Amino acid sequence: KEIEAAEVILCGTRHAESFDASGKEMLFIGKGTPLSELMDKVAKGYQSRKTALVVSGDCGFYSLLTYAKKVVPEKDIVCIPGISSLQYFFAKLAISWEDARLMSLHGRDQDLAAALAENKKLGILTDKNNNTAFIAGILQSAGCENSILYVGEELSYPNEKITRLTVVEALNYQEEGLAVVVVINE
């Protein structure tokens, strides 16, 4: 209902595939215009034109919410959460996740080796550089060759792909776009 009522929508191109965008001003993340410029446009126009920031998953877990709160007063933000990609993926794998360390390597540097040393189960958001092969390299360097990696691509979309890999198999794995990786460190 909120997307339908919005006049301006900021989202990724894949998100726009899930709703009717006709008659709306669309601002696309990752299409050449820096996010800072897109968010500046949102900040300047949201009071006069109903605006929606459409992202997937959990609003409060490494999402656009933190950035939005820097440019729009918190009192003007309404969050409508979806199912997070990690919640979805753990459920698809039928693996409990209350004991997992959840982290994001999506545009962030985190100490993956330390996380591996302290946890037997990781749920990781990736990006094009900090991808499955990168994670496998860290696992191999840390002596965790017996770990299993589950890679979730295009989760919840018709072309969803879930792959189970050993560390050696994952060293050369090339996912399509962003992925969620669950590591079971044995």
Side-chain angles (χ1 to χ4, degrees), residues 124-145:
I124 307 167
L125 305 179
T126 69
D127 67 20
K128 66 179 181 176
N129 297 316
N130 298 315
N131 56 18
T132 302
F134 171 80
I135 294 167
I138 300 290
L139 286 165
Q140 189 176 51
S141 295
C144 299
E145 290 89 2

Side-chain angles (χ1 to χ4, degrees), residues 8-12 25-30 32-47 49 51-55 63-74 76-77:
V8 177
I9 298 178
L10 179 136
C11 65
E25 180 181 354
M26 299 298 297
L27 307 173
F28 289 108
I29 300 168
T33 304
L35 183 58
S36 58
E37 288 182 32
L38 296 172
M39 291 301 289
D40 186 52
K41 192 169 188 171
V42 166
K44 289 178 180 170
Y46 81 92
Q47 291 180 324
R49 297 176 70 203
T51 303
L53 308 182
V54 179
V55 295
S63 72
L64 198 55
L65 179 59
T66 303
Y67 196 149
K69 289 169 72 172
K70 292 177 183 177
V71 299
V72 174
E74 187 172 345
D76 294 337
I77 296 174

